[in-house]
Amino acid sequence: MVWVTAAQAQAQRLPVMPLRAGMHNIKAEMAVTDEQRQIGLMHRASMGNNEGMLFVFERPGVQCFWMKNTLIPLQTAFLTDDGTVVNLAEMKPKSLDNHCSAGPVRFVLEMNTGWFSKRGIKPGARLQGEPFGTPR
């Protein structure tokens, strides 16, 4: 039997950090603890156009994500320490399919589905912001 805590059964709201992808501003909630990363964007019915969640890991590694209890379709960017996009993944709501980074990364940014593609952001592009050691 799997027990679900009250915190895991509702959407979380986390501190926001500004990021940039070229000329595009992003308001990224910061998921930095194990519990914050496990809950992620679960249980949300919607998310603003330039809002997302940045998952921060202690050290680079191959990171894999799925969409259990996530209600909105997302596009995910797997990012190196300096904010370089390694690869992108489109993720369907409530899916248990794994979407993994193509190499070791320390950051994963989830945005609304198609967000990166619609703005021409592809692997090799670099995001800016404090987590990546660059001014926003």
Side-chain angles (χ1 to χ4, degrees), residues 26-76:
I26 300 167
K27 294 179 188 174
E29 291 184 50
M30 303 293 290
V32 297
T33 68
D34 285 339
E35 183 178 24
Q36 290 170 343
R37 289 189 298 259
Q38 287 171 7
I39 297 169
L41 290 168
M42 287 182 181
H43 309 293
R44 293 203 191 181
S46 65
M47 190 165 59
N49 286 339
N50 293 314
E51 295 176 356
M53 184 170 285
L54 184 68
F55 296 80
V56 181
F57 296 89
E58 290 80 26
R59 61 188 63 85
V62 172
Q63 307 298 340
C64 296
F65 280 63
W66 60 346
M67 297 282 285
K68 182 179 181 179
N69 297 322
T70 305
L71 308 175
I72 52 178
L74 299 173
Q75 187 173 35
T76 299

Side-chain angles (χ1 to χ4, degrees), residues 11-131:
Q12 66 180 340
R13 294 290 175 186
L14 301 172
V16 173
M17 177 164 295
L19 304 176
R20 288 185 54 78
M23 62 184 220
H24 306 284
N25 292 316
I26 300 167
K27 294 179 188 174
E29 291 184 50
M30 303 293 290
V32 297
T33 68
D34 285 339
E35 183 178 24
Q36 290 170 343
R37 289 189 298 259
Q38 287 171 7
I39 297 169
L41 290 168
M42 287 182 181
H43 309 293
R44 293 203 191 181
S46 65
M47 190 165 59
N49 286 339
N50 293 314
E51 295 176 356
M53 184 170 285
L54 184 68
F55 296 80
V56 181
F57 296 89
E58 290 80 26
R59 61 188 63 85
V62 172
Q63 307 298 340
C64 296
F65 280 63
W66 60 346
M67 297 282 285
K68 182 179 181 179
N69 297 322
T70 305
L71 308 175
I72 52 178
L74 299 173
Q75 187 173 35
T76 299
F78 296 95
L79 308 163
T80 61
D81 282 356
D82 70 355
T84 300
V85 177
V86 173
N87 62 298
L88 300 167
E90 287 285 342
M91 303 193 308
K92 292 181 167 63
K94 299 184 179 182
S95 170
L96 298 181
D97 294 341
N98 267 330
H99 300 275
C100 300
S101 60
V105 298
R106 203 163 68 85
F107 301 102
V108 180
L109 179 59
E110 290 182 342
M111 301 291 288
N112 284 312
T113 191
W115 192 92
F116 298 100
S117 300
K118 290 173 188 171
R119 289 156 182 82
I121 299 165
K122 300 177 180 172
R126 188 169 173 203
L127 277 60
Q128 297 88 37
E130 187 178 319

